Amino acid sequence: MDIAVFSSKPYDREYFLRANESHGHKLTFFESRLTLESVVQAQGFPAVCAFVNDQLNAPVLRVLARHGTRLIALRCAGFNNVDLVEADRLGLTVVRVPSYSPHAVAEHTVALILTLNRKTHRAYNRVRELNFSLDGLLGFDLHEKTVGIIGTGRIGTITAKILLAFGCRVLAYDQRVNEECVQMGVRYTSLEELLRRSDIISLHCPLTPETYHLINENTLRMMKDGVMLINTSRGALIDTQAVIEALKTGKVGYLGLDVYEEEADLFFEDLSNRVVQDDVFARLTTFPNVLVTGHQGFFTHEALTNIAETTLANVTAFERGLRSGNEVSVDRIVA
Ligand code: NAI
């Protein structure tokens, strides 16, 4: 099948070309992000492969459908950037990669926690300048701290498992109780109890209309003073302006982000010679207790291998008139 691959980087090319040796699709790589301006490039491609910050809103989907696209193959797990109602109306099939390496994201989550706590990023720079002072590097034992996991699906469960091995108490909030977590010793609570009791809170639920700005002025107020807040899920789970105010008062003592509400205009590009226009993001980078990584949680060899293989297998199944099991239907967003 002819596939237009948007937002493609050299590493996407490498992994997709390798995986495609056993699929034989025709891949055309576009560096540009899929938007209403760039969608013209997809003309005549029956399949479009898109990533987290590609825009698949109603206007873009309409142009795609009009120009012959029948399949949207997301090479990511989240599908919050797709207007599924419109896709359904237009008869477009949407597939995704539900799980490629939950370990990659869970391990990155723990890396953010450890870095913020023990300040290894600051120590690295100090030692290179022969500054061996420990002032400002004081951390705390993770052992016996309470961690609240919001969303105990694939990634939340592995994160809980790793933190239990550190000797943490793990609380969880999810509408669905995951028996595996209960067996491991995770205790399910209400959202409010989790917010009130946790020393560290980590977000692992999807972005839906219900979870949009889950972390806001009200929920921040319920948290412990000096709480550590980690988000490796989707940026808009957090009201960034509210969290900045909470950082200023010390309510939030540490903030670790791999995702950011307005990341589409920033992440995955080298902007080091440009003037950042996003004042909210610029403010975030001024706090010594904030650590931002540019949506790299997924970025491991194993994950890229699985993403490429599953995406191309999804396309192959569609081409043969089969279901891959990775279709995203409109009722998923109502759940
Ligand atoms: P999953 O679907 O296995 O688990 C999500 C869990 O969240 C489910 O147990 C679900 O019941 C729960 N949930 C849904 N609504 C909730 C709510 N309102 N409150 C509490 N829990 C709720 O998803 P998985 O694979 O664990 O991924 C989690 C998120 O991580 C994804 O939605 C995606 O946004 C993000 N992600 C980030 C990556 C990165 O590179 N930083 C890479 C892959 C995923």
Side-chain angles (χ1 to χ4, degrees), residues 77-78 80 96 98-100 102 105 108 150-157 173-176 203-208 210-211 214 232-234 258-259 295-299 332:
N80 51 285
R96 65 172 181 144
S99 180
Y100 38 86
V105 186
H108 191 71
I150 300 183
T152 50
R154 283 170 284 253
I155 296 169
T157 300
Y173 170 71
D174 196 313
Q175 295 103 330
R176 283 182 292 174
L203 307 179
H204 298 288
C205 57
L207 176 63
T208 62
E210 189 198 337
T211 60
L214 178 74
T232 57
S233 273
R234 284 291 179 269
D258 188 46
V259 286
H295 208 137
Q296 68 174 81
F298 74 100
F299 201 55
R332 298 254 351 205

Side-chain angles (χ1 to χ4, degrees), residues 89-120:
R89 201 187 65 76
L90 294 165
L92 290 167
T93 298
V94 181
V95 288
R96 65 172 181 144
V97 186
S99 180
Y100 38 86
S101 174
H103 295 279
V105 186
E107 289 169 13
H108 191 71
T109 301
V110 178
L112 291 179
I113 294 173
L114 290 171
T115 307
L116 277 168
N117 176 17
R118 304 306 296 269
K119 302 165 183 68
T120 41

Side-chain angles (χ1 to χ4, degrees), residues 35 83 162 169 185 195 285:
T35 62
D83 185 333
I162 298 171
R169 279 184 287 270
L195 297 174
T285 60

Side-chain angles (χ1 to χ4, degrees), residues 8 68 73 102 138 248 308:
S8 62
L138 189 67
K248 281 156 73 176

